[in-house]
Amino acid sequence: MKVVYTDNNATTKVATEVVDAMTPYFTEYYGNPSSMHTFGGQVAKKIDFARQQIAELIGANPDEIVFTSCGTESDNTAIWGVLRANPHKRHIVTSRVEHPAIYNLCKYLAQNGYHVTEIGVDSHGMIDLSELSDAVREDTAVVSIMYANNETGVVFPIEEIGAIVKQRGSMLHTDAVQAVGKLPINLSKSTIDLLTLSGHKLHAPKGIGALFIRKGTTFTPFIIGGHQEKNRRGGTENVPSIIGLGKACELAKKYVNEEQTRIKQLRDKLETEILKRAPDTRVNGHKASRLPNTTNLSFEFVEGEAILLLLNEKGICASSGSACTSGSLEPSHVLRAMGVPFTAVHGSVRLSLSRYNTADEIDYIIEHLPPIIRRLREISPYGRETKVKGQTSTVSARL
Amino acid sequence: MQYSPKVMDHFANPRNVGEIAGADGVGEVGNPACGDIMKMSLKIKDNVIVDVKFKTFGCGAAIATSSISTEMIKGKTLEDALKVTNKAVAEALDGLPPAKMHCSVLAEEAIEAAIDDYLKKTTGKGLEKKKAHKHDERHEH
């Protein structure tokens, strides 16, 4: 079956170049980089090279890059690392729209003796800087605010956030899993102290991540074990994936401009055409300050899982903030934090592109998505007519 | 998504979609906050459901349970239609994922609500003993 993959904020295709770079590290160079012998030692050199490739993408020093197993581990490492190194500080500031890796970690911390302040967002998903400014205090150990939102693609003004955090003498961690590779990032001129990135969001494999820890940051390791990663993360290195992440970052550096041009154009065309062809549809998220690859649309009167199932029948892969697709029967906390009405949350669909999407694929979605919405609206008890008649108004008005 | 072929069939080709003009009984159940609302309308003649149509806002399972339950009660007496349980609806679809069982409860409640509406209109008195509202219990808000 034809597959049109537009769920790249969930995960991405591993680039062929990445697979090719990794393969020898399964078949030939399987040595342990910590070994004394040349056979293992040569692998350590390759890890250093990968570290450099990553550092170059984000404007960091290679020494500031620590490999982890995934974005979630990087997030946990960052938060716990700072908290343990600063035991007298018991306060954390975060946002209401973080990825579960931070969102649920902060919930856990709040239940276990820490004070957590969650900063809200406006209806465009944009963070409230004055609320943030009021929240950071003397005992704030760390402020953890994402770089770009995975659901809406909304990009936060991270340097403005950092300036506030620095003014108050606290530390800034950012989950940049969705931003790295999609936006140019230069940490050499930045207020960010710790930054999370994940391999599988930028065409490297799953199971590899990295944490940027700015030189001089007081930090305690999260995974305690061997001397790997200069005692910052124990455990034998996942060599093939580290090599893959390095290669993926090298490629991302090459393609990051394309994100702003070709991919953005494809996204904009997709969004404009869908809005034109499927009335009663809204875009969730700030239209200007947004990742170039992401669109989050709410189709009134219909439910997201039903849309995804019919898209799936056409081979189109997307995701939704609907409760029925969350596994927990809870609708998207991100869209709820933005004040999106329940029905519009349930009818939300996220389409996220990558460098592998073509203009033909976008046309294919434009052709097939609007009829799916029309079809489901015919089944729905709600619609324009009910709105016009004013009987029940829209579903949202009933809440 | 782990739906049986039968769920997918009733979802993709739903039976008896619509609203009956001048219906004898209409039932609407569910909650937009949970993401599912089912509206069922009945045409009743001599205590028998001669026609039934539905409209549903909801996921694949909600649409499929609505569709199959209309088939299950069409031609049945009101008493027999009220005996259709959510379990029977789920079984008729060759099962539902555990997280989706509440959709079958919704179907059972929609039938009940439509019959209740009919009885209220004709006898001035609804169903004597309504079943507990299982659907809402499964969601916390």
Side-chain angles (χ1 to χ4, degrees):
Chain A
M1 191 177 74
K2 181 188 175 105
V3 171
V4 173
Y5 189 78
T6 49
D7 200 11
N8 286 281
N9 288 10
T11 196
T12 59
K13 170 194 164 123
V14 180
T16 315
E17 298 93 320
V18 169
V19 177
D20 291 346
M22 289 172 69
T23 307
Y25 293 87
F26 289 107
T27 52
E28 289 171 61
Y29 308 115
Y30 53 82
N32 189 325
S34 298
S35 298
M36 278 306 294
H37 42 71
T38 314
F39 182 69
Q42 63 183 346
V43 176
K45 286 196 184 107
K46 295 297 180 186
I47 289 181
D48 287 342
F49 181 64
R51 205 183 300 279
Q52 198 171 331
Q53 287 171 312
I54 294 153
E56 272 174 26
L57 175 66
I58 57 176
N61 187 307
D63 279 345
E64 296 173 316
I65 305 296
V66 174
F67 292 110
T68 65
S69 68
C70 59
T72 299
E73 190 196 317
S74 293
D75 284 343
N76 273 268
T77 303
I79 303 300
W80 283 114
V82 171
L83 291 179
R84 286 182 181 146
N86 301 279
H88 56 290
K89 292 188 171 185
R90 308 287 289 177
H91 182 235
I92 301 143
V93 175
T94 186
S95 86
R96 245 173 232 145
V97 296
E98 294 297 309
H99 183 274
I102 287 292
Y103 192 74
N104 287 335
L105 172 60
C106 287
K107 263 192 196 165
Y108 173 87
L109 291 167
Q111 287 158 5
N112 287 275
Y114 289 90
H115 303 287
V116 175
T117 306
E118 282 184 351
I119 309 300
V121 295
D122 65 14
S123 61
H124 302 289
M126 191 48 75
I127 196 157
D128 188 331
L129 287 178
S130 65
E131 198 183 327
L132 177 90
S133 184
D134 292 343
V136 187
R137 48 193 218 209
E138 235 170 56
D139 67 332
T140 305
V142 62
V143 176
S144 183
I145 305 279
M146 68 204 320
Y147 205 119
N149 190 274
N150 49 309
E151 292 189 28
T152 59
V154 170
V155 178
F156 284 156
I158 200 73
E159 294 304 336
E160 284 178 54
I161 292 167
I164 295 168
V165 174
K166 294 291 113 182
Q167 230 172 42
R168 307 289 156 85
S170 190
M171 293 227 253
L172 176 63
H173 165 254
T174 185
D175 182 330
V177 157
Q178 295 295 344
V180 175
K182 295 179 191 138
L183 301 172
I185 293 175
N186 184 1
L187 291 171
S188 71
K189 292 175 192 156
S190 170
T191 50
I192 297 165
D193 296 297
L194 301 120
L195 176 142
T196 290
L197 69 92
S198 169
H200 75 106
K201 310 287 191 191
L202 68 149
H203 306 291
K206 294 156 191 72
I208 185 74
L211 178 65
F212 160 85
I213 308 171
R214 186 174 295 282
K215 215 172 171 178
T217 303
T218 37
F219 170 86
T220 303
F222 179 60
I223 293 190
I224 296 165
H227 58 86
Q228 293 90 351
E229 302 296 291
K230 297 194 172 160
N231 294 311
R232 291 172 297 181
R233 200 270 190 182
T236 300
E237 297 87 342
N238 180 357
V239 178
S241 292
I242 287 172
I243 302 300
L245 179 58
K247 187 71 191 176
C249 286
E250 183 196 307
L251 292 169
K253 198 170 183 208
K254 198 170 113 190
Y255 286 108
V256 74
N257 290 331
E258 194 187 323
E259 292 275 345
Q260 302 298 332
T261 53
R262 191 185 73 88
I263 296 172
K264 185 174 184 292
Q265 280 162 17
L266 289 181
R267 191 275 312 269
D268 289 346
K269 182 183 177 189
L270 177 66
E271 196 171 88
T272 313
E273 289 298 316
I274 298 290
L275 288 173
K276 209 190 301 174
R277 289 163 198 236
D280 299 313
T281 300
R282 55 182 278 174
V283 177
N284 296 314
H286 200 284
K287 280 185 104 172
S289 185
R290 192 161 51 139
L291 291 174
N293 78 318
T294 307
T295 178
N296 188 312
L297 300 168
S298 273
F299 300 96
E300 285 282 1
F301 322 126
V302 293
E303 195 275 339
E305 192 221 62
I307 303 169
L308 295 191
L309 284 170
L310 292 177
L311 282 173
N312 187 53
E313 295 211 322
K314 297 285 175 197
I316 300 167
C317 309
S319 58
S320 167
S322 145
C324 272
T325 61
S326 71
S328 62
L329 291 186
E330 282 300 321
S332 156
H333 72 283
V334 174
L335 300 183
R336 289 299 299 145
M338 290 161 63
V340 177
F342 270 117
T343 49
V345 175
H346 290 303
S348 70
V349 171
R350 178 190 71 189
L351 296 143
S352 48
L353 315 186
S354 84
R355 73 175 85 114
Y356 294 108
N357 287 117
T358 64
D360 283 351
E361 287 178 331
I362 298 308
D363 290 342
Y364 181 81
I365 300 171
I366 292 167
E367 183 192 338
H368 287 101
L369 179 51
I372 286 172
I373 303 304
R374 279 198 290 280
R375 194 171 143 189
L376 289 172
R377 281 179 179 167
E378 278 165 23
I379 305 175
S380 172
Y382 299 102
R384 273 218 166 151
E385 295 73 25
T386 34
K387 206 163 134 186
V388 176
K389 274 191 220 156
Q391 288 173 348
T392 52
S393 178
T394 61
V395 190
S396 50
R398 290 158 48 95
L399 290 169
Chain B
M1 282 166 243
Q2 300 150 333
Y3 284 140
S4 71
K6 201 140 182 206
V7 173
M8 283 309 293
D9 176 40
H10 274 270
F11 163 61
N13 312 292
R15 281 59 143 182
N16 304 311
V17 175
E19 280 173 271
I20 300 174
D24 297 310
V26 178
E28 188 179 313
V29 296
N31 181 343
C34 305
D36 39 25
I37 294 156
M38 218 176 264
K39 191 175 177 184
M40 203 172 271
S41 53
L42 306 174
K43 194 86 203 160
I44 295 162
K45 211 171 173 185
D46 302 332
N47 201 45
V48 171
I49 297 169
V50 290
D51 198 11
V52 48
K53 291 208 184 299
F54 83 90
K55 283 217 159 181
T56 290
F57 165 85
C59 63
I63 291 168
T65 54
S66 313
S67 166
I68 202 156
S69 61
T70 60
E71 283 193 335
M72 289 169 81
I73 63 167
K74 204 169 181 175
K76 278 206 166 90
T77 63
L78 297 184
E79 292 73 25
D80 285 346
L82 283 169
K83 282 180 196 150
V84 172
T85 61
N86 80 294
K87 222 175 140 213
V89 171
E91 272 166 18
L93 287 167
D94 296 334
L96 283 170
K100 299 289 184 179
M101 280 305 285
H102 71 274
C103 294
S104 63
V105 176
L106 204 62
E108 182 186 329
E109 287 176 3
I111 297 167
E112 193 192 49
I115 293 175
D116 184 58
D117 179 55
Y118 165 73
L119 292 176
K120 271 184 187 148
K121 278 181 188 158
T122 51
T123 67
K125 224 171 108 187
L127 281 169
E128 277 196 5
K129 209 179 159 193
K130 285 182 100 177
K131 296 174 203 170
H133 276 264
K134 298 180 225 172
H135 177 74
D136 288 339
E137 284 167 19
R138 292 182 187 226
H139 290 289
E140 289 168 26
H141 292 289

